Amino acid sequence: MNPQEQWIALSAIIRKEVHRFMRIWVQTLVPPVITMALYFVIFGSLIGSRIGEMGGFDYMAFVVPGLIMMSVLTNSYSNVVSSFYSAKFQRNIEELLVSPTPNYIILLGYVLGGVCRGLAVGLIVTLVSLFFTDLHIYSLSVTIGIVFMTSVLFSLMGFVNAVYANSFDDISIIPTFVLTPLTYLGGVFYSISLLPEFWQGVSQLNPVLYMVNAFRYGILGVSDINITFAFAGVGVFIVVLAIYCLHLLKTGKRLRA
Amino acid sequence: MSIALSIKQLVKTYDNGFQALKGVDLDVKEGDFFALLGPNGAGKSTTIGVICSLVTKSAGKVSVFGYDIDTQFAEAKKQIGIVPQEFNFSQFETVRTIVVNQAGYYGLKKSIAVERTEKYLKQLGLWDKRDTPARMLSGGMKRRLMIARALIHEPRLLILDEPTAGVDIELRRSMWDFLREINAKGTTIILTTHYLEEAESLCRNVAIIDRGQIVENTSVKALLKTLNKEVFIFDTREALTSVPDVPDYHLILAEEHTLEVEVEKGRSLNELFDGLSQQNVHVVSMRNKANRLEELFVSLVKGSADLADAQEQGVGV
């Protein structure tokens, strides 16, 4: 395929992905917004007012960046894992496999579909958060850069999960038993400086901590970790996972007989 | 005339050790209407899966209009349109979306995709259903949707895996007419089917595959010529209660007004009619029994099975 044909194929996949999550917006866009609004009310307004300051900011201002990031990464992951697994389950993934679309375009299409949903939910959650706190952006480039890269990374993770999944149960195991604990322990609700030294060290092994803190730095200008290291780490993970996903597509693992 | 599909020594061994294809060789000429027949599990769908990149081959070479499916996969895939046996589209998308998206996967511009979608949906009687989600379609409509989707990039080789399975007779006939029409316009068609009447009616050439090997590859006419017997069906005026006894002819009473008889090719039927007349049986009409190909198919597949059994037992055949 020439570059123009590849662009058309990529646009077709992205259009299909966006159309899919927009068609079922009640399942894809509304629930995360309601959940996050409840977090804002309970943790931010009700409990947060008794907590006082965190990291030099009132608790609501501190928790909002983490909650936005949490919604971005879970929705990016969910979109790709459910869409790609459904395509496998209904066998309409064969529409792409029989076509001349190169593997990297298939992967890019699904990943950008996940990014679109992640960012759409993130944007709506951000708008909702404005009802609860004033949001000032400390560094636009850091904010946009880390949110985009995190969304890409979690979309790739969702892709790997979908390839290996054999049932709908398999696509909820990783989010429930891995993603949720990592997110809740990733500094969304607290600064790791509150933890004993040992647990601070353990927390630093959690990749979500770096993404949440880099995003918080972009908005508030404070972070528990080194921002450059966060960007480099996410970048390396993206490259490694992208290569692995392309390998899965090339070998046809769980996709071709 | 060039070769549309060339398969050389194709082998497929699954992870569990089952060898589905054992060195298949097959050539299909451009413009042909070709039938690939075989019993369940013979290797038809595996062969088609390899051609369309849905099954990874273990060994061998496959090329489509000269394009190798391994080294020139994009060009090879552009030549092929596939209508699979199972429905493999999103049940939640509309008919039009499914076809337009497929055009996108082949790199077709939106304007061309929209124009062709309208053309093929109209030809296949689906235009009124264009905004209907696929799950709401009847079985026959779903099959036609898959044909429209396979044709959207106007492939030179169309492969249909059991396209009329579960389709009513009227619809089957209209699909046959449609396939004849696109074949007449130059599209090479390969068809697998369980309805041997379908292969006999539509196809010029035929290959029979059994246990992962091609056991026959010839023209339908040549294959039918190898039949040295014909079966005739006689409709009688009288209702019969027993089989008339005509020496040297083996008659079967199919129904009370219907007799069947197997006659060697070239043998005169006069003696048979004389014998029936003497027993006051009056034939009011006669016809050849259809599904002649079925008899050949059964005998070829049986021969292949006997050979495999003999080889398994170490008998030199």
Side-chain angles (χ1 to χ4, degrees):
Chain A
M1 286 180 110
N2 62 38
Q4 191 195 5
E5 290 171 332
Q6 290 187 21
W7 171 248
I8 292 170
L10 178 65
S11 308
I13 300 170
I14 297 172
R15 195 171 53 241
K16 177 176 73 75
E17 286 301 288
V18 172
H19 184 246
R20 190 194 76 90
F21 77 71
M22 291 301 285
R23 188 181 65 228
I24 50 172
W25 61 276
V26 177
Q27 295 171 46
T28 54
L29 301 181
V30 175
V33 174
I34 290 175
T35 307
M36 290 304 148
L38 288 170
Y39 276 130
F40 291 145
V41 171
I42 296 165
F43 289 99
S45 297
L46 301 179
I47 299 174
S49 59
R50 291 166 186 249
I51 291 173
E53 283 197 352
M54 181 79 68
F57 292 86
D58 71 67
Y59 189 65
M60 182 57 127
F62 179 87
V63 86
V64 162
L67 290 174
I68 294 170
M69 197 54 141
M70 191 163 109
S71 59
V72 169
L73 62 89
T74 51
N75 279 279
S76 301
Y77 188 97
S78 302
N79 196 71
V80 180
V81 75
S82 57
S83 175
F84 197 79
Y85 180 71
S86 296
K88 256 177 64 176
F89 183 77
Q90 295 186 85
R91 296 182 58 181
N92 58 302
I93 191 61
E94 291 176 4
E95 292 175 338
L96 274 164
L97 297 180
V98 301
S99 80
T101 307
N103 288 338
Y104 60 85
I105 295 290
I106 296 175
L107 180 63
L108 191 59
Y110 272 93
V111 167
L112 291 179
V115 169
C116 285
R117 173 161 153 201
L119 296 186
V121 172
L123 182 65
I124 300 170
V125 170
T126 305
L127 294 174
V128 172
S129 75
L130 295 176
F131 289 102
F132 299 89
T133 185
D134 291 332
L135 213 55
H136 301 286
I137 293 183
Y138 177 77
S139 167
L140 190 63
S141 56
V142 170
T143 306
I144 292 175
I146 197 67
V147 80
F148 181 77
M149 287 174 71
T150 302
S151 187
V152 169
L153 179 60
F154 277 82
S155 296
L156 287 165
M157 288 164 67
F159 190 89
V160 175
N161 190 172
V163 169
Y164 279 97
N166 281 324
S167 67
F168 280 99
D169 286 343
D170 292 345
I171 66 171
S172 63
I173 286 172
I174 300 288
T176 306
F177 294 103
V178 180
L179 219 55
T180 305
L182 284 180
T183 309
Y184 278 75
L185 299 172
V188 171
F189 299 102
Y190 56 86
S191 165
I192 60 165
S193 61
L194 297 178
L195 301 174
E197 205 167 317
F198 173 77
W199 290 109
Q200 283 189 33
V202 172
S203 293
Q204 284 176 6
L205 298 173
N206 180 357
V208 176
L209 177 82
Y210 296 87
M211 300 166 208
V212 168
N213 270 281
F215 187 65
R216 185 174 287 134
Y217 176 83
I219 291 179
L220 301 177
V222 295
S223 169
D224 292 335
I225 48 92
N226 182 313
I227 300 303
T228 310
F229 185 72
F231 271 94
V234 175
V236 169
F237 272 120
I238 287 174
V239 172
V240 170
L241 268 182
I243 292 170
Y244 186 60
C245 289
L246 289 173
H247 169 74
L248 290 175
L249 281 169
K250 188 180 178 190
T251 55
K253 184 154 184 100
R254 311 260 172 124
L255 298 172
R256 295 184 166 97
Chain B
M1 193 164 278
S2 67
I3 298 293
L5 173 69
S6 169
I7 299 176
K8 303 282 181 221
Q9 282 302 300
L10 184 61
V11 175
K12 172 62 187 177
T13 308
Y14 285 100
D15 291 342
N16 61 8
F18 174 69
Q19 197 170 33
L21 301 176
K22 302 168 183 170
V24 169
D25 287 305
L26 190 66
D27 281 342
V28 177
K29 287 180 184 157
E30 185 177 3
D32 203 353
F33 207 135
F34 192 93
L36 184 61
L37 308 179
N40 285 334
K44 303 186 297 287
S45 295
T46 304
T47 306
I48 287 173
V50 171
I51 298 166
C52 302
S53 309
L54 293 175
V55 174
T56 312
K57 63 185 166 63
S58 307
K61 284 194 92 61
V62 178
S63 59
V64 184
F65 288 99
Y67 297 109
D68 188 288
I69 63 162
D70 295 321
T71 57
Q72 298 163 293
F73 81 93
E75 280 308 315
K77 284 176 168 183
K78 282 183 185 177
Q79 314 301 319
I80 307 169
I82 172 77
V83 181
Q85 202 171 330
E86 308 282 342
F87 300 131
N88 69 342
F89 43 74
S90 168
Q91 299 288 326
F92 304 103
E93 286 172 358
T94 64
V95 168
R96 175 158 43 187
T97 306
I98 288 169
V99 181
V100 169
N101 279 348
Q102 190 68 15
Y105 304 153
Y106 283 83
L108 295 177
K109 286 181 185 167
K110 190 77 185 283
S111 56
I112 298 172
V114 169
E115 186 187 312
R116 285 193 194 167
T117 299
E118 182 174 347
K119 173 182 153 188
Y120 287 113
L121 289 184
K122 279 182 174 170
Q123 282 186 14
L124 285 154
L126 286 172
W127 184 242
D128 291 344
K129 300 283 180 185
R130 60 190 179 278
D131 294 321
T132 304
R135 67 179 184 280
M136 310 287 278
L137 300 179
S138 68
M141 286 175 181
K142 286 176 180 173
R143 293 225 169 264
R144 282 181 280 157
L145 167 58
M146 292 202 296
I147 295 176
R149 187 185 61 179
L151 289 171
I152 193 69
H153 60 289
E154 303 198 330
R156 294 165 74 192
L157 172 63
L158 181 65
I159 301 174
L160 303 109
D161 195 0
E162 310 264 358
T164 53
V167 170
D168 67 50
I169 293 168
E170 191 184 353
L171 185 56
R172 191 183 306 165
R173 300 276 168 183
S174 72
M175 277 169 74
W176 287 6
D177 290 340
F178 180 75
L179 293 175
R180 280 193 193 101
E181 194 182 315
I182 58 171
N183 177 244
K185 287 178 183 166
T187 306
T188 309
I189 297 179
I190 298 176
L191 180 86
T192 78
T193 179
H194 270 122
Y195 302 108
L196 298 172
E197 180 201 357
E198 188 165 81
E200 194 175 342
S201 166
L202 288 173
C203 301
R204 284 188 284 280
N205 292 298
V206 60
I208 296 177
I209 187 169
D210 187 39
R211 298 173 186 229
Q213 288 176 314
I214 300 287
V215 294
E216 185 61 88
N217 185 1
T218 183
S219 70
V220 172
K221 272 186 189 168
L223 194 61
L224 290 173
K225 267 187 192 168
T226 62
L227 269 179
N228 57 4
K229 288 180 179 173
E230 284 181 281
V231 177
F232 293 100
I233 299 173
F234 297 148
D235 296 315
T236 63
R237 187 192 298 154
E238 302 80 13
L240 303 173
T241 53
S242 62
V243 184
D245 182 25
V246 182
D248 299 331
Y249 289 93
H250 178 61
L251 288 153
I252 298 167
L253 185 60
E255 287 171 36
E256 62 178 9
H257 282 279
T258 309
L259 284 170
E260 278 186 23
V261 61
E262 193 176 84
V263 182
E264 283 171 19
K265 268 194 173 172
R267 187 177 175 186
S268 164
L269 298 176
N270 289 359
E271 292 169 26
L272 175 60
F273 284 121
D274 288 345
L276 289 172
S277 298
Q278 283 166 16
Q279 295 182 46
N280 285 324
V281 176
H282 296 93
V283 176
V284 290
S285 68
M286 67 175 279
R287 61 187 183 277
N288 270 89
K289 189 176 181 181
N291 287 342
R292 291 170 298 158
L293 200 56
E294 195 156 324
E295 297 162 39
L296 270 171
F297 176 77
V298 170
S299 68
L300 284 165
V301 169
K302 186 175 180 303
S304 158
D306 291 345
L307 182 69
D309 289 346
Q311 283 169 342
E312 244 172 52
Q313 291 162 21
V315 181
V317 182

